[in-house]
Amino acid sequence: MPETCHTVNTTPERIFAVLADGWSYASWVVGAAHIRDVDEGWPAVGARIHHRIGPWPLQIDDKTVVRAVVPGRFLELDAQAWPLGAATVRIRLEPLSATTTRIRMAETLSSGIGRLLPGPVQAALLRPRNAEALRRLDDIAVHR
C-alpha cells in the first residue's frame, strides 16, 4: 500500500480533531467537492460522510465509511468513488515530540477499475494527491 508521510508541528490530538470533524473532509481531501451529510457519531466504525467528488458539473454523489478507529492515533476509511471503485485509506498519527507529529497516509485502490492498476502506477497517481491532502490537513490542524 503506497504511503505518504508528512511532519506537522502540532499534537496528534489536534490533527485527529480535524479528522473527527466530518464537515471539514472536503477542506483537506483532494477531489472531495462538497459534504452533503455526516452521520451522527462520526468517526465511529460504520459512520459515513456523504460527499460529492470531482469537478463541477461532473460531480458524483458517494460516501466514505469508517472501517477502524483508534481516537487520536489511527483512522481507516473506505472511500468510495463510483464508477471508479473504492480506496482503502489508512491514516496513522505518530507523536515525535510534545509538539510534533508524523502523519502516515497509505492508500490503495481496492475495488472497481482502479484496482486493476499495478501497484507502482497506483503509487505514482496517489502520492502527489495524498501529499497535498496532508499539507491541507497540516494547515487546518495548525491554524484552526
Side-chain angles (χ1 to χ4, degrees):
M1 185 178 278
E3 184 176 79
T4 304
C5 297
H6 183 77
T7 301
V8 181
N9 292 319
T10 195
T11 64
E13 292 75 22
R14 284 189 61 126
I15 299 165
F16 197 82
V18 177
L19 299 175
D21 176 4
W23 292 101
S24 75
Y25 187 81
S27 298
W28 63 271
V29 174
V30 176
H34 173 73
I35 304 304
R36 297 178 292 119
D37 195 18
V38 178
D39 286 359
E40 191 172 322
W42 176 270
V45 172
R48 298 166 296 173
I49 293 176
H50 305 270
H51 53 74
R52 287 193 181 109
I53 61 165
W56 184 88
L58 305 174
Q59 294 177 340
I60 298 167
D61 287 354
D62 226 318
K63 65 184 176 279
T64 293
V65 182
V66 177
R67 293 294 173 214
V69 63
V70 177
R73 295 293 182 261
F74 176 76
L75 187 62
E76 181 175 305
L77 305 171
D78 178 32
Q80 299 177 14
W82 186 91
L84 301 175
T88 299
V89 181
R90 293 185 182 120
I91 302 169
R92 295 183 193 282
L93 306 177
E94 300 174 352
L96 300 177
S97 72
T99 60
T100 307
T101 305
R102 177 181 297 125
I103 308 172
R104 294 183 177 276
M105 183 178 189
E107 181 173 8
T108 188
L109 302 173
S110 55
S111 69
I113 60 173
R115 72 177 166 78
L116 301 176
L117 295 172
V121 174
Q122 285 192 32
L125 293 172
L126 296 173
R127 276 198 182 105
R129 176 181 169 271
N130 290 343
E132 175 59 20
L134 294 182
R135 284 189 293 273
R136 293 177 185 188
L137 185 56
D138 176 339
D139 287 341
I140 297 167
V142 170
H143 301 292
R144 181 185 237 187

